[in-house]
Structure formats: structure tokens, C-alpha cells
Amino acid sequence: MSSPQPNPTIQSLATRIKTGQITRIVVLTGAGISTSAGIPDFRSPTTGLYDKLAPLNLPYPEALFHISYFSHSPEPFYAIARARHPANLKPTLSHAFLALLAKKNILHFLFTQNVDNLEEKAGIPAEKVLAVHGSWKSQHCWTCKASYPDELMEKAINAGEVPYCLEAGCGGAIKPDVVFFGENLPSAFDEKIHLISEAECMLVLGTSLRVAPCSTIPRQIAAGVPRVLINMEKAGDLGSREDDVLLLGSCDEGGLSVCGCAWVEG
Ligand code: OAD
């Protein structure tokens, strides 16, 4: 892992964790913590999903997940759905790291932008996590909101075909309960947002911080509270405060090195 500005603060943070001075860590995650599980992220050049959509002839890449586009053209979404669907995926080392924070009782709350449900598979307690952008766990008709059977959804995803509502006379397209651009976030987001101000440390992993409102979370951390970015590249305003620590590299390695400093070494 390469770090352009090796920062001793990671050691001091680890000491503060080890000695119980930091007991409330708020975490924000994005697609970068799941790439090693096999799901490409969105915006990395060449490997990210948005660089591979030319054959779909979208007006712009994010249209794939925009509700106003899906409402008249759900086909492109289902053309890529199989590649994004988390069935049979295993949590990564990064998820295991976050599960360890929960086990050590220092995970105050985790906001994830991911919809792959790997936090639950890793054993992070449901009450400690909010999937801000929803998940693939369930699905509904976009038009009449009727629910739709899991096994039929799975069949449609595997076939790359749009599933349609089974309610008599409806025929609307089925949409997984993933929050598309243009849709409201779960109401739990407003209920959990106050937890940010209780953080004694913030960890940001695997996100470009390009999508609001999650992109605003690190900026809501109080001045003087350390913020750690574990990501391939710089993101948002992380690095602009004295107490920021940047671990530029893979999330899995960054998580391991924090664990190493806090619980293995010395
Ligand atoms: P992005 O693709 O925008 O950003 C992923 C970030 O993770 C980038 O900064 C990568 O450099 C970094 N990254 C990738 N693999 C990594 C690895 N193994 N280790 C460390 N860093 C890695 O994904 P998000 O920020 O999650 O929303 O995107 C936010 C939202 O935009 C998504 O939830 C999705 C998308 O459009 C909707 O579809 C509504």
C-alpha cells in the first residue's frame, strides 16, 4: 500500500482505540469496500461500471440508476443487473474489519452507500448499519408498489430480462428496493444523522464522495475529531484538516493495518 504522506497519527489513533479513549467510531463506506468481493465500483477509470456503459446508449451514465429514466426504460438496468447482484458474494476483509469494530463495541454507526448487504453477511448487527441507498433484498412494482416474489426476481436477473408486475391490469416494471437517483432516502437516514455528532473518530472507506447526501457526512464531523480516509484516491475534503489521516491504497490493506496497529502490535 502506498501512502504519499505517511502519517504517524494512525499509530496514535490506534493507541487511543486500544486504551479506550476512542469508543465511538462512525463509518461511511462505498463501492470500494466490495470490489475485492467481485463487484466493480462506479467511477474508477476503466474498471468502474460507468466507463463500460457505451453499448447501452444511455443519455449519461447515472441514468442507469435514475428513476425518471428507469420509469420509461428499465431494460438497461436489467442488462447489467446480474453483474451487480450480490448473490453468492462473500464479505471482504474490509467488511470483516468493520465487523470486528462492532464486536469490540466501538462501531457507533455505519452508513453504507452499498446495496450488496455484505455488512449483514459479515455479521455486523443490523441496528448498527443503515444502507442509505437501499438493497437488493426485496423488490416492488415501480407503478403500483406491489411486492414481487424473490424467485421470479432472481430468474429475471439471471436472464437479463425486465420482470413485470403480476397484479391484474398493472404491468409495471419491477424495481429492486435500491434507492435510485430522484427517489427519497429511507426515513431512517434523518433519524440516524445525529449520530455523526457523537463520533470520536470517523472512518471513510471506498467512496469517491461524489453523491450527496452521504458525501456531506465527513464534513459534519466536528472539528478536532479525527477522520481517516482509506481509499485508492483522495476524496472530498479529507486531508484538509489537521486531524485527518489518509491511507491511500486498498481498503482491505488499510483495514488490516488499522487492526495491526490497534490490536496486534505492541
Ligand atoms: P465510486 O465508484 O464513486 O467510488 C469508489 C471509490 O472507491 C473510488 O474513489 C475508488 O478509487 C475507490 N476504490 C475502488 N476500489 C477500491 C479498493 N479496493 N480499495 C480502496 N479504494 C477503492 O463509488 P461510491 O462512492 O460508492 O449510487 O458511489 C456512490 C454512489 O454512486 C453509489 O452508491 C451509487 C453510485 O451512482 C446510486 O446508484 C444511487
Side-chain angles (χ1 to χ4, degrees):
M1 143 171 252
S2 69
S3 176
Q5 45 169 75
N7 195 326
T9 313
I10 195 66
Q11 309 291 340
S12 56
L13 280 183
T15 304
R16 287 167 67 187
I17 290 172
K18 210 162 28 176
T19 55
Q21 293 170 59
I22 289 179
T23 56
R24 293 194 299 269
I25 301 179
V26 170
V27 182
L28 170 65
T29 60
I33 69 161
S34 293
T35 52
S36 63
I39 306 183
D41 69 7
F42 298 91
R43 297 180 180 81
S44 283
T46 321
T47 56
L49 176 69
Y50 291 156
D51 242 12
K52 299 190 173 198
L53 298 178
L56 295 178
N57 284 323
L58 296 165
Y60 57 98
E62 280 97 341
L64 192 64
F65 303 112
H66 203 296
I67 197 62
S68 65
Y69 188 80
F70 180 89
S71 61
H72 60 76
S73 302
E75 296 81 7
F77 174 79
Y78 281 98
I80 60 93
R82 193 171 173 200
R84 308 295 301 173
H85 193 255
N88 306 321
L89 289 187
K90 292 202 174 81
T92 65
L93 275 176
S94 304
H95 293 94
F97 164 58
L98 299 175
L100 184 63
L101 296 184
K103 206 169 158 201
K104 300 253 178 204
N105 242 340
I106 54 177
L107 177 67
H108 196 48
F109 203 71
L110 164 57
F111 295 90
T112 183
Q113 298 166 90
N114 298 343
V115 296
D116 53 30
N117 207 34
L118 290 179
E119 298 80 14
E120 187 183 314
K121 277 195 184 171
I124 302 170
E127 68 274 14
K128 291 284 179 189
V129 185
L130 177 65
V132 180
H133 293 169
S135 89
W136 284 92
K137 268 166 91 176
S138 54
Q139 53 282 323
H140 289 85
C141 169
W142 159 239
T143 308
C144 76
K145 312 300 176 207
S147 64
Y148 189 77
D150 292 346
E151 55 286 5
L152 292 183
M153 183 68 171
E154 204 180 314
K155 246 179 155 173
I157 288 167
N158 284 332
E161 288 167 0
V162 181
Y164 288 101
C165 185
L166 303 173
E167 296 296 306
C170 178
I174 302 299
K175 188 182 84 57
D177 293 339
V178 164
V179 178
F180 276 29
F181 293 111
E183 289 191 299
N184 291 329
L185 295 184
S187 55
F189 185 71
D190 288 335
E191 290 156 22
K192 299 295 181 188
I193 206 80
H194 73 278
L195 296 171
I196 298 168
S197 64
E198 297 172 2
E200 293 168 336
C201 176
M202 155 135 248
L203 298 183
V204 178
L205 290 94
T207 174
S208 64
L209 292 177
R210 299 267 291 277
V211 174
C214 282
S215 58
T216 69
I217 290 177
R219 276 185 270 133
Q220 295 178 50
I221 292 288
V225 171
R227 306 182 303 174
V228 181
L229 174 71
I230 306 178
N231 205 48
M232 288 293 188
E233 57 178 4
K234 284 185 78 173
D237 75 337
L238 276 290
S240 66
R241 296 187 189 175
E242 254 180 28
D243 297 294
D244 289 348
V245 178
L246 304 185
L247 291 182
L248 298 183
S250 94
C251 289
D252 290 348
E253 286 177 49
L256 273 179
S257 81
V258 175
C259 286
C261 293
W263 295 300
V264 182
E265 290 168 8

